[in-house]
């Protein structure tokens, strides 16, 4: 049944995560753990964008009539701070 399968998966995950880590101080992870951690980090701190990509985004926005201040406001960037 679905409940049995789910309980077996949960037990397997607990077993794997209880294993000693390969590197001290770094937890044992299962597929999806790094992605979930990245999602949380980016939800709190935003998505990193390198300078060249940002310049291209500003340039593209300008082509359709959106000024840099508007883009920075939408992106949550406060240049005055």
């Amino acid at each position: 049944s679905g409940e049995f399968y789910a309980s077996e998966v949960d037990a397997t995950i607990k077993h794997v995560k209880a294993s000693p880590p390969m590197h001290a101080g770094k937890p044992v992870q299962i597929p999806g753990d790094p992605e979930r951690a990245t999602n949380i980090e980016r939800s709190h701190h935003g998505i990193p964008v390198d300078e060249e990509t940002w310049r291209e985004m500003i340039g593209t926005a300008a082509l359709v009539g959106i000024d840099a201040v508007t883009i920075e406001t939408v992106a949550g960037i406060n240049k005055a701070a």
Side-chain angles (χ1 to χ4, degrees):
S1 79
E3 288 179 25
F4 174 75
Y5 179 77
S7 70
E8 289 297 302
V9 169
D10 288 342
T12 301
I13 290 170
K14 286 178 184 171
H15 175 73
V16 169
K17 287 191 163 202
S19 301
M22 182 180 287
H23 302 287
K26 293 189 177 186
V28 173
Q29 296 186 331
I30 62 168
D33 282 351
E35 292 81 3
R36 283 185 283 278
T38 297
N39 186 30
I40 291 168
E41 172 70 20
R42 289 180 175 176
S43 293
H44 292 304
H45 303 288
I47 299 171
V49 177
D50 63 87
E51 289 295 324
E52 178 60 26
T53 300
W54 185 248
R55 280 192 295 275
E56 290 175 6
M57 292 170 71
I58 295 293
T60 301
L63 292 174
V64 295
I66 304 171
D67 63 273
V69 173
T70 300
I71 292 298
E72 290 166 355
T73 300
V74 170
I77 297 171
N78 183 354
K79 292 285 188 174

